[in-house]
Amino acid sequence: MAELRVTYDKTANAAYVHLTDPQVRTRSSRMYPCDPVQVGGMINLDFDRKGRLIGIEVLAANSKLPEYLLESSERLDDDGV
């Protein structure tokens, strides 16, 4: 089973679910925002130049993602060091 890389910035309350090979740097060429009214927070889908989904950004992450996922994520804020 592939490992899923998740980064989390508690200060910004933002998480990013990486859907690419961690050894390969992939750049987003298009972002599709999901309707914040319907989901109660902003969720952005990032796609590469070939139209493949490469990542999911979740704002208001502590209300949208399971606690265990945020606790085990790679921390990007000062509290995670």
Side-chain angles (χ1 to χ4, degrees), residues 19-56:
L19 303 175
T20 58
D21 181 343
Q23 304 301 318
V24 178
R25 183 162 173 88
T26 306
R27 295 184 56 108
S28 175
S29 67
R30 184 171 54 111
M31 186 269 295
Y32 175 79
C34 295
D35 188 345
V37 174
Q38 292 181 3
V39 297
M42 181 61 78
I43 297 173
N44 298 314
L45 305 177
D46 287 334
F47 295 87
D48 67 10
R49 287 184 292 165
K50 295 182 179 180
R52 292 179 294 207
L53 182 62
I54 60 170
I56 303 167

